[in-house]
Amino acid sequence: MLLTQQNYFSKEANKEYISVSQFKAFAECEAQALHNIEIGGENEKAAFLEGKLFENWVAGDRALFMAQHPEMISTRGATAGQLKAEFNKVIKAAERFLEQDFFKDIINKCEKQVILTGKIEGVKVKCALDLFDRETNSIYDIKCMKDFKEQWNKEEKSYVPWYYIYGYVLQLAVYREIVRQNFGEPKEIGLMAASKEEEPDLQAKSFSSELLDLELEYFKNNVKRYNDIKKGIVTPSYCGECAYCKSIKQITRFEVIK
């Protein structure tokens, strides 16, 4: 299947290829991830739409994106016909982002939303690079965050940086590998972000090769299992805590408390 901007998020594409967002969904709950792929709804979350709005406001076709998503406009009350408050925050963050010459210089020299595919551990992988400098193979990802506070990681039982808890280092590690397969070693890999706070904050991060190698190894260790679940070869596990697991929960006995 040849991927395009029109079919990248389609049910067919999500079945044939695994993306980093899909991989992260499997890591959270295999059963829910598989269910979302089967019903074609893995990208319907509000946070996804906010992220795409930010990307398009910064480096895309703003008018086309706004026209394609009328659900961002309020239809009731005093704000009817106006952009909903949460999306206004995203635009404010994007405008603050674009005030930075450092960011604008990178945006101006890069191609936008470059779709690439490759294979990792024999599994077909897809990615859409926010910004790609074809002259140097450099990769830049842009994000809009609620804020840049550390987040609690229940597995590690500690607070960790925002870019780690949301899997953005993993994302860049996979992007680096796919770019390597298609064009060669990237010269630079960067993460640029703005926050949706009342006064938007800004950050620009890069990561060591050693850290990216560790994240890629984590991806390699799990991607085949997740792909086998999609193919029906392996039975998915159930986390018991996500919305999907709750929706199919059946009580068959009393839980004895001692």
Side-chain angles (χ1 to χ4, degrees), residues 56-94:
N56 278 273
W57 202 267
V58 166
D61 189 331
R62 300 179 185 179
L64 177 61
F65 184 80
M66 298 292 282
Q68 290 175 335
H69 294 282
E71 65 270 30
M72 294 191 299
I73 305 299
S74 176
T75 58
R76 60 181 66 179
T79 60
Q82 300 176 25
L83 198 64
K84 293 177 181 177
E86 60 266 33
F87 298 113
N88 271 319
K89 289 182 179 180
V90 173
I91 291 176
K92 182 177 180 180

Side-chain angles (χ1 to χ4, degrees), residues 14-124:
N14 287 331
K15 282 189 171 183
E16 182 170 341
Y17 295 89
I18 191 164
S19 64
V20 176
S21 61
Q22 191 181 110
F23 179 95
K24 290 189 290 185
F26 271 104
E28 290 179 8
C29 179
E30 294 175 352
Q32 179 172 250
L34 180 63
H35 172 72
N36 286 340
I37 291 170
E38 290 175 342
I39 65 172
E42 72 164 327
N43 292 309
E44 298 304 317
K45 297 177 181 178
F48 174 80
L49 185 56
E50 290 183 21
K52 299 308 291 184
L53 171 61
F54 184 77
E55 292 170 10
N56 278 273
W57 202 267
V58 166
D61 189 331
R62 300 179 185 179
L64 177 61
F65 184 80
M66 298 292 282
Q68 290 175 335
H69 294 282
E71 65 270 30
M72 294 191 299
I73 305 299
S74 176
T75 58
R76 60 181 66 179
T79 60
Q82 300 176 25
L83 198 64
K84 293 177 181 177
E86 60 266 33
F87 298 113
N88 271 319
K89 289 182 179 180
V90 173
I91 291 176
K92 182 177 180 180
E95 293 291 356
R96 180 76 179 95
F97 186 96
L98 290 170
E99 291 175 2
Q100 301 297 304
D101 290 337
F102 176 70
F103 293 161
K104 287 195 295 184
D105 288 344
I106 290 173
I107 293 168
N108 290 337
K109 70 179 181 180
C110 288
E111 294 182 40
K112 284 74 176 178
Q113 292 300 312
V114 177
I115 294 174
L116 296 176
T117 61
K119 285 188 176 182
I120 297 178
E121 296 298 297
V123 176
K124 296 172 73 173

Side-chain angles (χ1 to χ4, degrees), residues 112-148:
K112 284 74 176 178
Q113 292 300 312
V114 177
I115 294 174
L116 296 176
T117 61
K119 285 188 176 182
I120 297 178
E121 296 298 297
V123 176
K124 296 172 73 173
V125 176
K126 63 172 181 171
C127 61
L129 312 182
D130 288 343
L131 301 167
F132 181 56
D133 183 355
R134 202 173 289 271
E135 289 188 7
T136 64
N137 299 333
S138 295
I139 307 163
Y140 304 97
D141 205 46
I142 56 178
K143 299 295 182 187
C144 187
M145 308 300 301
K146 178 183 177 182
D147 54 48
F148 296 130

